[in-house]
Amino acid sequence: LASGSFNGAAAAVAFIFIYLDCFTLGILPVSWSYSAEIQPLRVRNKATAVGVFSHWLSNFVVVMVTPIGLTNIGGNYFWIWAIVCASFIPLTYFFGVETSGRTLEQVDKMFYEEPRLCMGLSKNHTRVIRNTRADEEHRFAEFAQVAEKRHSIAAERKASLAAEHTNHIEEKS
């Protein structure tokens, strides 16, 4: 871009869009969804709020600090962010767990049955579960049975309340 050529500017814009597309499809959703997936059900909402807050706080810090860093140390400022990004490799390896293919209840059970600081070192916690179509159909059939049971209980309650209301009206007249 320093040369001021159209081709250089067009290439820079194209690579920025490619970066944004790859970032959006890659690691960006992790900061939003992973914090919700690994928290116990009883604190999931609050923990997700903390995760979202930390996401926006880190964005604020980057936006406020980067111009100062570029002004003071120029292009070498890249190495600071490279080190920060590289630090996530061991953090993910030692502390991250795989949630793919697991229900939220299974993730809860995983933390409850085998709690440890370095959850990522357990092979049970890093294994990707590949559900078959039969597994998914069985799981959805269980959900349907639960939903049907809830619906029948709600219908019974509604009928009971209607009967009580009718009896109450008859008693008044």
Side-chain angles (χ1 to χ4, degrees), residues 30-161:
V30 171
S31 64
W32 295 89
S33 62
Y34 191 70
S35 64
E37 290 178 353
I38 64 169
Q39 301 302 328
L41 289 171
R42 69 185 188 288
V43 295
R44 184 161 288 140
N45 291 340
K46 291 176 183 153
T48 301
V50 170
V52 170
F53 173 76
S54 66
H55 174 83
W56 285 110
L57 181 65
S58 63
N59 283 340
F60 177 77
V61 169
V62 168
V63 167
M64 296 306 286
V65 170
T66 297
I68 297 166
L70 288 173
T71 301
N72 291 326
I73 59 176
N76 287 327
Y77 189 65
F78 162 82
W79 295 108
I80 292 174
W81 291 122
I83 291 167
V84 168
C85 290
S87 71
F88 283 100
I89 295 170
L91 287 173
T92 303
Y93 180 79
F94 289 112
F95 300 109
V97 296
E98 181 59 59
T99 60
S100 176
R102 291 180 171 91
T103 64
L104 296 175
E105 290 77 13
Q106 289 171 329
V107 174
D108 271 356
K109 188 176 177 183
M110 186 169 58
F111 279 95
Y112 181 74
E113 289 180 350
E114 196 179 346
R116 54 194 278 187
L117 180 62
C118 296
M119 294 283 290
L121 295 179
S122 171
K123 293 302 175 194
N124 292 332
H125 299 155
T126 57
R127 185 172 47 95
V128 175
I129 295 176
R130 306 260 188 236
N131 291 328
T132 65
R133 183 178 178 146
D135 294 336
E136 290 298 320
E137 287 176 359
H138 177 71
R139 189 165 65 107
F140 287 123
E142 287 178 353
F143 285 142
Q145 288 174 354
V146 169
E148 188 176 304
K149 192 180 287 185
R150 285 183 184 164
H151 180 67
S152 66
I153 290 171
E156 288 174 12
R157 285 182 184 166
K158 187 175 180 181
S160 173
L161 288 175

